[in-house]
Amino acid sequence: MELEVLKNELEITRQKLELASMDLLAKEQAIEKMNETIEILKWRVEVQESMINQVRDISERLLEKVESCQSPLIGKKEIMSVFDKESDFALRFLKFAKANKFGLQVGKEYFIKREEFDKMIHTYLGLKLEI
């Protein structure tokens, strides 16, 4: 009788150890997944920082071009060359700037002052804009 009780206790202990082992394995897998997620998030932050630096470089190039031409206004052609985009994008960008009180409209043409362009870039820095 005592031997059977010990066998039952041994079996219960074995089952508990097996469950604990399975639980530990599940926790290790969860930790591994979290570490993978952290690595992905770090990569995304690096990509976003790279994109922010590219926007800064682009805006600095644009401002250098404007300064060299001594033009106080940035127009569609300058936006096209700086962002390396088509005419339609440049027009949408300038309309967006005007709608948000950064740009101005003269006749059918849109422009943005150099100072206002700089303010706009700093205002929307790091944000995703659908233009």
Side-chain angles (χ1 to χ4, degrees), residues 105-126:
Q105 182 177 3
V106 179
K108 292 183 179 181
E109 297 294 321
Y110 292 87
F111 299 96
I112 185 169
K113 290 182 179 179
R114 179 178 168 232
E115 300 84 23
E116 294 299 314
F117 178 80
D118 198 31
K119 285 181 192 176
M120 183 177 166
I121 293 297
H122 288 294
T123 300
Y124 293 105
L125 195 63

Side-chain angles (χ1 to χ4, degrees), residues 4-112:
E4 197 167 310
V5 170
L6 287 174
K7 283 183 180 178
N8 286 340
E9 287 179 12
L10 183 61
E11 180 62 27
I12 291 171
T13 304
R14 187 188 62 75
Q15 289 175 356
K16 285 181 180 178
L17 282 172
E18 195 174 293
L19 287 173
S21 174
M22 288 172 41
D23 189 41
L24 182 61
L25 183 61
K27 287 179 182 177
E28 286 175 352
Q29 288 174 344
I31 289 171
E32 189 176 314
K33 284 184 180 182
M34 287 191 309
N35 286 337
E36 289 174 3
T37 303
I38 288 170
E39 290 302 315
I40 290 170
L41 291 174
K42 285 180 181 178
W43 176 78
R44 285 186 173 178
V45 167
E46 288 174 8
V47 168
Q48 287 179 344
E49 287 175 348
S50 173
M51 293 172 73
I52 289 170
N53 288 334
Q54 286 177 351
V55 168
R56 282 187 188 141
D57 291 344
I58 288 170
S59 66
E60 286 175 13
R61 280 188 292 165
L62 173 63
L63 294 176
E64 287 172 6
K65 283 184 177 183
V66 170
E67 286 173 352
S68 68
C69 295
Q70 300 299 320
S71 173
L73 297 176
I74 299 169
K76 189 166 66 170
K77 288 180 183 176
E78 290 84 9
I79 297 294
M80 287 170 53
S81 67
V82 169
F83 289 106
D84 195 28
K85 296 285 188 174
E86 71 282 351
S87 173
D88 188 45
F89 170 83
L91 185 59
R92 288 193 316 267
F93 180 88
L94 290 168
K95 283 183 178 181
F96 176 83
K98 182 184 180 299
N100 289 287
K101 308 287 189 237
F102 290 105
L104 61 126
Q105 182 177 3
V106 179
K108 292 183 179 181
E109 297 294 321
Y110 292 87
F111 299 96
I112 185 169

